[in-house]
Amino acid sequence: MKILVINCGSSSIKYKLYEMDDRTVLAAGGIEKIGLEGSFLKTKIQGETKIIESPCPTHTEGIRLMFDTLLHPEYGAIKSLDEISAAGHRIVAGGRFTESRIVTPEMLDEWRQYMELAPLHSPAHLKGYEAVREMLPALPQVFVFDTAFHQTMPAKAYMYAVPYKYYEECNIRRWGAHGTSHRFVTARVGEFLGVDPAEKRIITCHIGNGASISAVKFGQCVDTSMGLTPLEGLMMGTRSGDVDPSAVLSIMKKEGFTPDEMSDLLNKESGVKGISGVSSDIREVEAAIKEGNEHARLALEMYAYRIKKYIGAYAAAMGGVDIVVFTAGVGEHQWDIRKASTEGLEFLGIEMDAEKNRKNFGEEEIISTEGSRVKVVVVPTDEELLIASDTLALVTK
């Protein structure tokens, strides 16, 4: 059975087509600059990257270009759209939805009340769904919510200490993000280690340009670092992470910023990029450090320190920790960030194997010592596969 996974951004569409009988990827690609000049689709064909330029004024044209590419006689993956059994969509903000759902008019009506929680992402998700429905009206479609995994958090973890009416009237609370990734690596690390996550206390570290950490106690998320939006928590590539609200007000007054301008500063110009003055790319920041850039050095020290603080906090929240997982771009590939963010945590039972850690570049592996009470593991994430798996399970019930 073939399942199409779609991830729509405000000006982009990423997709993968899976053959779920053996979990192979039949095709994958991305469409960039939707609604802008120079829009194009990039895909890999027999190991080679191919760029297909085509006007895409809206997501509808982008979805049509995706389907045309999948059907292309030379480099397509299927001969007919009828071969696709269902489409699964990554949805950033799902509000109170606790699990993936087949899209129905009633479900859409319920979901619309949470669209404002991700104002850049949610309209694009809806456009992607509608574009697929326009072309394939009978195709089952599934929404897989990034926030669903975090809905097991207790109120003491998800509530903010602002007047309660804002929770009731405006949905102001911690919703989290990256839940699909946290759920995938929680299950996968259990398989890899031969243990049941329902019997373990696991800290999952999704560390990339966007970064979050979750505390998963006995199979359920009990806390996560991102909040109402993905801005809260860890210091990230361009996001500030945790910051005193008074600092925000002070900057707004000094610069005369509007709320939207301040949001842009915190989301797009802060974090590693803002402190280093170099880039949001860790590799470029490390190169600057080698050239003696002290701001770049400070940026990475702050970045790793925040990760360490959250690991310690979540170990305390769960009464201990059995497994720490590193995943996503930085977590999987930057040995030095893993090293810096776990140094000094021996009192928690974390003892890193320096050689294994240094050599690991995205391989599924235990990187703690044999004697370490806490297992530290690198687990490559695969959110798209989980979306495909959820979609398959729902449409074959």
Side-chain angles (χ1 to χ4, degrees):
M1 181 177 285
K2 295 178 178 63
I3 301 293
L4 179 63
V5 174
I6 299 172
N7 182 359
C8 286
S10 58
S11 62
S12 66
I13 300 172
K14 296 177 183 177
Y15 67 89
K16 279 188 179 180
L17 180 65
Y18 285 89
E19 175 50 73
M20 294 305 291
D21 292 344
D22 56 9
R23 293 188 167 191
T24 56
V25 178
L26 301 178
I31 303 162
E32 302 291 339
K33 295 189 174 182
I34 295 172
L36 304 170
E37 290 186 9
S39 54
F40 63 92
L41 181 147
K42 181 167 69 173
T43 186
K44 279 194 174 181
I45 301 158
Q46 297 178 346
E48 294 186 8
T49 299
K50 184 174 181 62
I51 303 294
I52 303 167
E53 296 181 358
S54 179
C56 292
T58 71
H59 283 71
T60 299
E61 285 80 13
I63 293 292
R64 185 174 291 113
L65 176 59
M66 174 190 70
F67 282 137
D68 288 345
T69 304
L70 290 173
L71 290 168
H72 197 279
E74 179 185 352
Y75 46 77
I78 54 177
K79 295 181 180 179
S80 169
L81 294 181
D82 292 337
E83 295 180 40
I84 302 174
S85 298
H89 296 260
R90 181 207 177 199
I91 306 297
V92 169
R96 290 181 173 82
F97 284 102
T98 60
E99 58 188 5
S100 303
R101 296 277 294 273
I102 292 178
V103 182
T104 64
E106 295 76 19
M107 192 230 81
L108 273 181
D109 286 343
E110 184 177 351
W111 173 68
R112 287 177 195 272
Q113 68 179 301
Y114 304 119
M115 287 183 66
E116 64 182 21
L117 297 175
L120 295 179
H121 296 88
S122 294
H125 297 329
L126 185 59
K127 290 174 185 176
Y129 161 75
E130 290 175 339
V132 173
R133 185 184 62 180
E134 182 177 323
M135 295 191 66
L136 297 173
L139 185 74
Q141 298 193 65
V142 170
F143 278 8
V144 179
F145 306 104
D146 246 2
T147 46
F149 183 63
H150 305 307
Q151 295 316 296
T152 52
M153 289 189 295
K156 65 182 180 182
Y158 69 69
M159 287 295 294
Y160 290 116
V162 297
Y164 196 85
K165 67 177 183 178
Y166 295 112
Y167 167 67
E168 295 177 305
E169 298 172 4
C170 307
N171 289 315
I172 301 297
R173 53 157 283 180
R174 182 183 306 281
W175 294 105
H178 295 146
T180 307
S181 176
H182 289 291
R183 178 159 65 103
F184 176 86
V185 298
T186 294
R188 179 58 203 155
V189 78
E191 294 172 359
F192 179 65
L193 296 178
V195 300
D196 184 355
E199 299 175 352
K200 300 294 180 181
R201 295 161 298 183
I202 304 172
I203 297 175
T204 52
C205 306
H206 178 108
I207 310 299
N209 194 51
S212 64
I213 295 182
S214 288
V216 186
K217 186 175 184 181
F218 306 144
Q220 292 192 328
C221 178
V222 295
D223 208 341
T224 195
S225 59
M226 284 182 168
L228 174 71
T229 73
L231 183 58
E232 189 182 1
L234 299 173
M235 177 179 173
M236 304 174 221
T238 62
R239 296 186 185 119
S240 66
D242 294 336
V243 62
D244 185 341
S246 292
V248 175
L249 297 175
S250 179
I251 293 171
M252 291 181 73
K253 290 177 182 178
K254 179 182 184 300
E255 302 291 350
F257 282 164
T258 65
D260 286 345
E261 288 171 333
M262 192 65 218
S263 177
D264 282 346
L265 179 76
L266 294 172
N267 280 285
K268 300 176 182 179
E269 301 297 332
S270 298
V272 173
K273 179 182 178 182
I275 295 296
S276 71
V278 174
S279 172
S280 62
D281 190 311
I282 299 295
R283 295 164 296 185
E284 294 180 15
V285 176
E286 288 179 335
I289 292 173
K290 291 178 180 178
E291 296 174 357
N293 187 320
E294 290 302 313
H295 287 182
R297 184 182 305 280
L298 174 62
L300 291 200
E301 288 177 350
M302 292 171 64
Y303 187 83
Y305 179 66
R306 299 280 185 94
I307 297 169
K308 182 189 295 187
K309 282 209 301 183
Y310 268 96
I311 291 174
Y314 286 166
M318 294 190 293
V321 56
D322 302 302
I323 302 167
V324 174
V325 181
F326 283 97
T327 193
V330 175
E332 293 172 25
H333 300 109
Q334 296 291 145
W335 71 270
D336 50 343
I337 297 297
R338 295 191 299 254
K339 175 178 181 291
S341 59
T342 52
E343 281 181 333
L345 297 182
E346 291 80 10
F347 73 98
L348 289 178
I350 296 174
E351 298 179 11
M352 295 286 279
D353 185 312
E355 184 176 0
K356 282 185 177 180
N357 180 48
R358 189 180 187 99
K359 290 182 177 179
N360 188 288
F361 190 74
E363 300 298 322
E364 192 171 61
E365 183 183 21
I366 298 170
I367 56 172
S368 50
T369 65
E370 288 188 9
S372 178
R373 182 170 55 78
V374 176
K375 298 292 185 186
V376 183
V377 191
V378 174
V379 178
T381 192
D382 196 337
E383 296 162 276
E384 292 86 359
L385 179 58
L386 184 55
I387 292 170
S389 299
D390 275 12
T391 301
L392 176 66
L394 285 169
V395 299
T396 55
K397 272 187 177 181

